[in-house]
Amino acid sequence: MQASEQHRSSSMYHQPLQQFEAYCMPQYRTLNHQLYYHNGGHGTHFSNPSSSEFYCTLESSSAAGSFTVYNSPSTVSFSPNGSPISQHDSQSYPPDQHNSPENTYGSPMSGSCITDDLSSFKHKLRELESVMFGPDSDNLDSYDSAISNETNFVSLEMDSLRQTMLAISSKSLKQILISCAKAIADNDLLIAQWLMDELRQMVSVSGEPIQRLGAYMLEGLVARLAASGSSIYKSLRCKEPESAELLSYMHILYEVCPYFKFGYMSANGAIAEAMKDEDTVHIIDFQIAQGSQWITLIQAFAARPGGPPHIRITGIDDSTSAYARGGGLHIVGKRLSKLAEHFKVPFEFHAAAISGCDVQLHNLGVRPGQALAVNFAFMLHHMPDESVSTQNHRDRLLRLVKSLSPKVVTLVEQESNTNTAAFIPRFLETLDYYTAMFESIDVTLPRDHKERINVEQHCLARDLVNIIACEGMERVERHELLGKWRSRFAMAGFTPYPLSSLVNGTIKKLLENYSDRYRLEERDGALYLGWMNRDLVASCAWK
């Protein structure tokens, strides 16, 4: 799970770090000194602070040679033989460069699409010659069979070419992306190269949502074609900005989109309801990150009639998350302890700096007499299941938690189906899901906003590359729909825990601060937050 550990520092589930002063502010607080925002009708508006640029070279081995990554706020670019795709200030891919000897983006087989075409035609001629004049040419049945096979092969190629021409003539970026993915799936390198050349002229990290998304999906396709996805993905960690800047990007994403707040508020509501009569509460958070989720819950417990309970939080977090935090879990414990002291809430913090895959019973510090709540927020989809590992950590953790007899277990996950899906269905699902995600960001941050470019590049693009380019253990972004999670929880022995109607009302009030294109739905005891007609995040509780 090394890929998973290196990935954690910039995945979308991370929470923003906030100073103690911000802890004591109302829930819908402003950003820190790095940004200024104000609510105006629907949406949140940001000023445009300066941002440092980061350029770095990555070399990793592959069948095609070394790879170079040029990582800047304008673009992330990979090329199979070490040359950059683009460092242009225009923040878009350069026009067609077929005649340039430096253009090695695309097929790892050759830098020249024309040479590939010529070689391919010569090869086909040789195949036809061997069929017509080979040693078996006097065998009529063999001859007819070979000619028939060759005719079918050419027919399929012509059909593929026809579909490609239709995609290009349509000028539909989505359709060309899909055609390119299909060409790669069919190992049709000539068509893939051709479509990538077209895509480079259409995508832009400062354009419309589909152009921005297309830029990063193209990166994933190039990495997959060159069999470099995992190398690029894992090596990207050293190309990240300084921790304070990365943290500010995650903070922006946290504020401009309600997805994280929705997840944390719904989970906290279920925990508060389950623990309303308990004197001693133990919360196990399987991905505590910055600990921001527990700020409002501590405040809510402080205001509970009859006084607050004694709260103990066990924070599980792999060591690489310390990069974004600027230190270990003791930072989270210290700040939450200070907050609890301010609100006169008895508090204790237990740090478990360990990957979820490695968690065992003794790491959790469970004590008799404590009412237990377990929180899985944007975490379980990183655990490999039976399709990846015989250990099946996804279901193992659920069985382990059930053995502890918790009063409530909360689940928050992206509502997407990318776990066991084959490449093309997975590509289509990713395209649909992140189109909605990028559109929702677009209504809040201007398209030429440098901080928005950094948010999408450092917080979202890595996930895209991993989903598209990686397979097996190297693919750690493995989302499942809530229906599948229901099956897993049921098999582990859990039963649904209905969410309080108060939670629904609180989240509706939260969404008043955002675009009216966000929608909240309650179905079968679970809450779904979506953008227009696409569900993006689902939240539910179990016991």
Side-chain angles (χ1 to χ4, degrees):
M1 286 304 297
Q2 186 64 26
S4 175
E5 302 314 314
Q6 289 177 317
H7 163 69
R8 298 293 176 78
S9 61
S10 67
S11 185
M12 70 168 286
Y13 63 81
H14 268 293
Q15 311 161 16
L17 180 62
Q18 303 172 7
Q19 301 298 324
F20 167 67
E21 291 78 10
Y23 286 170
C24 302
M25 299 295 287
Q27 183 169 357
Y28 312 120
R29 62 185 71 80
T30 60
L31 288 172
N32 58 25
H33 65 278
Q34 295 169 314
L35 295 166
Y36 164 78
Y37 91 106
H38 63 276
N39 292 327
H42 297 293
T44 307
H45 305 276
F46 286 75
S47 63
N48 188 4
S50 61
S51 173
S52 302
E53 295 187 351
F54 306 93
Y55 297 91
C56 194
T57 299
L58 162 69
E59 293 183 358
S60 58
S61 300
S62 78
S66 63
F67 285 77
T68 304
V69 173
Y70 292 81
N71 192 358
S72 73
S74 62
T75 186
V76 187
S77 301
F78 316 124
S79 67
N81 288 314
S83 59
I85 307 312
S86 169
Q87 294 187 57
H88 294 272
D89 293 333
S90 64
Q91 297 176 341
S92 64
Y93 289 92
D96 188 280
Q97 298 178 357
H98 279 168
N99 298 321
S100 168
E102 297 299 321
N103 179 28
T104 56
Y105 189 115
S107 169
M109 303 299 293
S110 169
S112 170
C113 190
I114 297 174
T115 303
D116 286 344
D117 284 333
L118 183 59
S119 299
S120 179
F121 281 125
K122 287 181 179 180
H123 177 69
K124 286 181 173 55
L125 284 174
R126 285 195 296 268
E127 286 183 342
L128 287 172
E129 289 171 354
S130 67
V131 169
M132 296 178 68
F133 306 111
D136 295 329
S137 59
D138 56 344
N139 186 325
L140 189 58
D141 291 338
S142 176
Y143 174 79
D144 288 343
S145 176
I147 289 295
S148 177
N149 290 338
E150 184 69 20
T151 301
N152 291 336
F153 176 74
V154 172
S155 177
L156 289 173
E157 285 205 335
M158 290 302 295
D159 185 59
S160 176
L161 181 61
R162 189 179 300 110
Q163 292 180 13
T164 300
M165 292 298 294
L166 287 173
I168 293 176
S169 64
S170 72
K171 299 297 182 182
S172 168
L173 179 51
K174 275 191 176 183
Q175 190 56 50
I176 297 176
L177 281 167
I178 294 169
S179 295
C180 187
K182 289 180 178 177
I184 292 174
D186 294 337
N187 200 32
D188 194 337
L189 302 184
L190 293 178
I191 296 297
Q193 172 94 27
W194 183 8
L195 291 172
M196 284 177 177
D197 289 340
E198 292 293 327
L199 287 169
R200 286 185 208 109
Q201 301 176 61
M202 302 176 71
V203 301
S204 169
V205 295
S206 59
E208 297 178 0
I210 185 58
Q211 291 178 302
R212 307 197 312 263
L213 172 60
Y216 299 121
M217 296 200 77
L218 176 57
E219 303 293 359
L221 289 173
V222 172
R224 183 179 183 89
L225 180 63
S228 63
S230 60
S231 298
I232 290 173
Y233 180 80
K234 289 188 289 186
S235 300
L236 275 174
R237 189 186 182 285
C238 69
K239 313 303 170 191
E240 291 173 349
E242 296 297 324
S243 60
E245 287 161 329
L246 175 60
L247 203 56
S248 73
Y249 303 151
M250 293 187 291
H251 195 180
I252 295 171
L253 185 61
Y254 179 86
E255 292 291 349
V256 302
C257 300
Y259 307 119
F260 305 106
K261 291 179 182 177
F262 158 79
Y264 301 152
M265 289 172 64
S266 58
N268 285 356
I271 294 173
E273 174 70 19
M275 302 297 180
K276 61 184 178 182
D277 298 321
E278 299 294 338
D279 295 328
T280 305
V281 175
H282 182 193
I283 300 171
I284 299 176
D285 188 349
F286 268 86
Q287 185 62 61
I288 196 164
Q290 316 305 327
S292 303
Q293 177 173 349
W294 309 116
I295 297 170
T296 55
L297 186 63
I298 290 175
Q299 293 173 330
F301 276 137
R304 193 178 73 172
H310 180 281
I311 300 175
R312 183 166 184 258
I313 293 180
T314 292
I316 300 171
D317 210 20
D318 58 83
S319 59
T320 57
S321 293
Y323 176 81
R325 256 195 318 267
L329 280 170
H330 67 278
I331 295 176
V332 178
K334 183 177 180 180
R335 287 181 172 145
L336 290 180
S337 295
K338 192 173 183 180
L339 174 70
E341 181 181 358
H342 176 82
F343 285 101
K344 297 180 173 55
V345 175
F347 184 80
E348 183 181 354
F349 184 79
H350 172 227
I354 187 172
S355 164
C357 287
D358 299 323
V359 169
Q360 302 294 334
L361 178 60
H362 68 270
N363 301 121
L364 303 178
V366 177
R367 299 172 182 170
Q370 295 181 336
L372 182 63
V374 177
N375 184 60
F376 290 113
F378 303 107
M379 175 270 176
L380 273 179
H381 73 274
H382 285 136
M383 298 295 100
D385 70 346
E386 68 279 2
S387 68
V388 182
S389 168
T390 55
Q391 294 177 300
N392 189 0
H393 293 292
R394 193 168 296 201
D395 291 338
R396 180 187 70 83
L397 284 181
L398 293 181
R399 291 194 298 269
L400 173 62
V401 168
K402 181 58 180 176
S403 71
L404 305 177
S405 300
K407 291 207 68 173
V408 64
V409 177
T410 53
L411 173 72
V412 182
E413 279 291 350
Q414 291 98 312
E415 182 68 357
S416 183
N417 183 21
T418 63
N419 182 25
T420 59
F423 171 60
I424 290 300
R426 188 167 80 238
F427 184 88
L428 295 173
E429 172 75 352
T430 303
L431 180 60
D432 185 62
Y433 185 92
Y434 281 95
T435 294
M437 180 71 72
F438 275 64
E439 285 178 353
S440 70
I441 295 175
D442 195 62
V443 301
T444 304
L445 294 179
R447 292 177 183 175
D448 60 351
H449 196 295
K450 184 171 287 189
E451 296 304 317
R452 180 200 53 71
I453 295 172
N454 282 326
V455 165
E456 292 174 348
Q457 176 179 315
H458 294 295
C459 301
L460 301 178
R462 289 170 55 89
D463 293 358
L464 284 166
V465 170
N466 185 253
I467 294 172
I468 295 171
C470 299
E471 297 293 348
M473 291 292 291
E474 299 296 346
R475 181 157 62 86
V476 297
E477 296 298 325
R478 292 179 166 273
H479 305 101
E480 292 186 320
L481 298 174
L482 184 54
K484 180 62 176 178
W485 289 118
R486 289 184 191 276
S487 297
R488 292 190 186 278
F489 273 80
M491 285 189 297
F494 289 98
T495 57
Y497 185 97
L499 293 174
S500 169
S501 59
L502 293 176
V503 175
N504 198 326
T506 303
I507 294 174
K508 283 183 178 179
K509 187 174 182 180
L510 164 72
L511 294 181
E512 292 176 359
N513 297 281
Y514 295 89
S515 169
D516 57 6
R517 280 177 276 183
Y518 287 105
R519 60 176 179 77
L520 179 68
E521 288 188 13
E522 182 176 356
R523 301 196 301 268
D524 301 324
L527 287 178
Y528 295 82
L529 178 63
W531 174 258
M532 300 179 68
N533 63 344
R534 170 75 207 209
D535 291 329
L536 292 176
V537 182
S539 178
C540 58
W542 303 81
K543 61 182 178 179

